[in-house]
Amino acid sequence: MKLSAALSLGVLTLALAACSTTPTNSTTNTAATPSVQASATTPTVVTSNDVDTVMNAFLVRTVDGAEVLEPVTAQTQIKKGDLVEYHVLLTNNGKDRVRDMRVALSLPAGAEFTGFVSPSIGTQASADGSRFVFMPIRSSVNGTTQNLPFAQYKALRWSIQDLGIGATTVVKYRAIIR
């Protein structure tokens, strides 16, 4: 199987920068500067075909009672408590239809998963980043089975069953910046 992780790094870097900050060592700028760990949030796409991926981030705002998605740009001010929706676009650039593909995303540090995913049918999640189960993740606490809080989710995974030649599909999830 081929691993394909070609990303639009400009938007990805901006989106991931919103998720964690560290103080800068510069004496001329005392504001916090973003730190990015792109490898921890790069989509992993497993397929035998040529599939390109692009990740975008959007701030979710409410304007006049309706939800509006604002693209994250260099000018976007992201703060603690903001809701961010991540989109991963998967485009089949190969010569054959993709029959079975796995897409796995690690959740960024500094962002807490909200439970929103799309598509939601068959989505899997992981609390350790390696063992995936269908959502919701359940655990046993004092002999009682309970849903694991979304804050403890570390990664998400989708199974895409059919992607035609030249076709694009999208997987999405939302997280709150902490």
Side-chain angles (χ1 to χ4, degrees):
M1 290 193 159
K2 177 182 175 186
L3 239 33
S4 171
L7 293 176
S8 172
L9 290 177
V11 173
L12 175 63
T13 300
L14 292 169
L16 300 178
C19 299
S20 65
T21 59
T22 55
T24 182
N25 292 330
S26 170
T27 57
T28 58
N29 181 2
T30 58
T33 58
S35 75
V36 177
Q37 295 178 344
S39 62
T41 55
T42 300
T44 301
V45 180
V46 180
T47 180
S48 60
N49 297 68
D50 294 319
V51 175
D52 289 334
T53 61
V54 175
M55 185 174 205
N56 296 307
F58 301 87
L59 279 176
V60 180
R61 304 276 193 218
T62 303
V63 177
D64 297 327
E67 253 185 20
V68 175
L69 298 180
E70 296 177 4
V72 173
T73 67
Q75 293 75 34
T76 304
Q77 296 292 320
I78 298 177
K79 60 189 176 309
K80 182 178 178 179
D82 278 345
L83 180 61
V84 178
E85 184 169 300
Y86 295 89
H87 294 193
V88 178
L89 289 80
L90 304 142
T91 303
N92 179 0
N93 289 321
K95 296 183 247 178
D96 298 311
R97 177 178 293 282
V98 176
R99 300 286 183 197
D100 188 25
M101 172 174 59
R102 303 283 182 271
V103 180
L105 296 169
S106 295
L107 299 169
E112 183 178 308
F113 178 55
T114 65
F116 172 86
V117 293
S118 177
S120 59
I121 303 295
T123 304
Q124 296 179 321
S126 174
D128 63 8
S130 62
R131 189 176 70 89
F132 287 86
V133 296
F134 290 105
M135 287 178 55
I137 300 174
R138 296 180 165 261
S139 63
S140 180
V141 178
N142 297 327
T144 304
T145 301
Q146 300 176 356
N147 289 346
L148 193 68
F150 292 132
Q152 295 181 24
Y153 284 39
K154 302 293 181 216
L156 301 170
R157 184 169 68 187
W158 290 264
S159 177
I160 309 298
Q161 295 302 312
D162 190 31
L163 188 61
I165 299 167
T168 298
T169 191
V170 179
V171 296
K172 306 174 190 178
Y173 72 92
R174 288 184 176 182
I176 296 174
I177 305 304
R178 293 289 169 213

